[in-house]
Amino acid sequence: MKNIKIKCPAKINLTLEVLNRRADGFHNIKSVMQLISLYDFLNIEIGHANSNKIVLSGNSDEIPYDERNLVYKAADLYLKEVGINDCEIKIYIEKNIPISAGLAGGSTDAAGVLFGLNQLLKVFDEEKINELCAKLGSDLNVCLNGGCVLATSRGEITKSLPVAEKAVSLIKPKYLGISAKEAYTKYSEKSYKPQNNMTEKLIEALPSNNIEPFLYNDLEYAVFDDYIELQEIKKSYPNAIMSGSGSTYFVLEDIKQSKLNKDFLLINNLHFIKTGTETA
């Protein structure tokens, strides 16, 4: 039996600009994504079996522990790519990143599985693991490689950027999750679509560390009017910006005491990190 523990960081979108809808149903985007010091942990064990078997478990009652989970799909994809058919994989998911939150919790765990299995079996090079990440979803490559990243196409094409030194606090409505499908659909339905080019402006500002004026998210614009919870966050924290498709907002400071009631989760004492998925 081989085993490994993997550290899987959350991401926030410093910018997210939607360019157009693709023929495959996804959207082309340009986004500056930043990995932060909030982590899920995976305990991965590999053993021998008569046929392939993937067993998931964890500490959360909000995610499925079967083939619907992106972690399962990542393990299954890795086994198929390697050509292994006599392996049992057990994965325990310690969930600390909120789900349906715009923080890439599912994507970072899936990237962690591909990274972790390859650390144990040492079959593929880094380029191949990135290729497998791109097959599974839009944010996996960002989570795998880490730091600050310009993500384009549907998010799987990445370019490393300088990492600013910033504290981060997250504010999430406890009872509201917004799916990417909902957010992108509502953006498509908007008659007016802003063209602010904030991504380029933020990239230019990264070396100076003065990025706050250029934080921006098209998907916040798409869903903001539909949810009183988002409006309450913005009222209490005018500088807060939504991450991904939401419903999490972030501010680039360490908030010690929340201005909101118990229906909102505050996660503080976080910071930007230069790493991605790695061994714990």
Side-chain angles (χ1 to χ4, degrees):
M1 181 77 70
K2 296 181 178 180
N3 64 82
I4 194 170
K5 187 173 184 180
I6 301 298
K7 194 176 180 181
C8 307
K11 66 83 183 165
I12 56 173
N13 297 77
L14 302 180
T15 68
L16 200 173
E17 296 179 285
V18 183
L19 303 182
N20 53 48
R21 187 178 178 89
R22 297 156 47 116
D24 60 8
F26 289 97
H27 287 78
N28 285 313
I29 65 166
K30 53 182 178 179
S31 175
V32 176
M33 302 188 196
Q34 173 64 55
L35 278 289
I36 60 173
S37 58
L38 174 64
Y39 303 95
D40 285 348
F41 292 91
L42 306 178
N43 286 289
I44 304 172
E45 295 183 358
I46 298 179
H48 182 77
N50 292 327
S51 60
N52 286 344
K53 186 178 181 182
I54 301 168
V55 181
L56 305 184
S57 60
N59 67 335
S60 173
D61 59 4
E62 297 183 85
I63 60 174
Y65 294 104
D66 55 28
E67 63 276 359
R68 292 172 294 170
N69 195 308
L70 201 56
V71 164
Y72 185 104
K73 294 175 182 178
D76 184 56
L77 176 62
Y78 189 90
L79 291 178
K80 287 176 178 175
E81 290 287 328
V82 175
I84 293 176
N85 54 22
D86 59 353
C87 184
E88 181 180 49
I89 299 175
K90 294 181 180 180
I91 304 172
Y92 182 87
I93 306 168
E94 180 189 324
K95 208 74 179 114
N96 299 303
I97 303 170
I99 68 166
S100 299
L103 301 172
S107 295
T108 194
D109 291 351
V113 169
L114 294 172
F115 175 82
L117 290 176
N118 203 55
Q119 287 293 302
L120 291 172
L121 299 177
K122 301 190 184 302
V123 177
F124 298 129
D125 60 15
E126 184 178 332
E127 182 179 353
K128 179 64 174 181
I129 297 301
N130 270 285
E131 179 186 315
L132 297 183
C133 282
K135 284 185 177 182
L136 283 175
S138 300
D139 294 335
L140 275 74
N141 299 81
V142 172
C143 297
L144 177 72
N145 298 311
C148 187
V149 176
L150 171 64
T152 54
S153 186
R154 58 179 173 82
E156 82 283 9
I157 297 177
T158 63
K159 177 184 177 182
S160 293
L161 298 169
V163 176
E165 294 185 11
K166 295 291 180 182
V168 188
S169 296
L170 306 178
I171 308 112
K172 183 189 181 299
K174 289 182 179 178
Y175 309 110
L176 175 64
I178 303 173
S179 71
K181 181 179 180 181
E182 176 189 348
Y184 279 101
T185 298
K186 287 181 175 177
Y187 183 79
S188 296
E189 292 170 351
K190 292 284 188 180
S191 56
Y192 171 70
K193 295 179 171 60
Q195 300 291 325
N196 294 314
N197 295 316
M198 286 299 199
T199 298
E200 286 81 2
K201 295 172 185 176
L202 186 136
I203 291 172
E204 290 178 5
L206 276 170
S208 71
N209 217 39
N210 182 32
I211 61 175
E212 283 82 353
F214 310 110
L215 303 175
Y216 178 76
N217 187 341
D218 272 336
L219 298 185
E220 178 184 352
Y221 162 70
V223 301
F224 184 79
D225 291 340
D226 297 327
Y227 294 106
I228 187 67
E229 297 95 332
L230 306 186
Q231 296 162 32
E232 288 182 29
I233 292 173
K234 202 76 168 180
K235 183 178 179 180
S236 295
Y237 299 99
N239 293 330
I241 298 291
M242 194 174 82
S243 180
S245 58
S247 58
T248 303
Y249 273 64
F250 68 89
V251 292
L252 299 187
E253 61 181 279
D254 188 21
I255 299 172
K256 300 299 185 184
Q257 184 74 32
S258 178
K259 298 177 184 177
L260 294 159
N261 64 33
K262 60 182 176 57
D263 292 333
F264 293 84
L265 174 68
L266 170 65
I267 305 176
N268 57 7
N269 197 30
L270 304 175
H271 59 271
F272 287 10
I273 59 173
K274 296 181 179 181
T275 52
T277 304
E278 60 184 349
T279 306

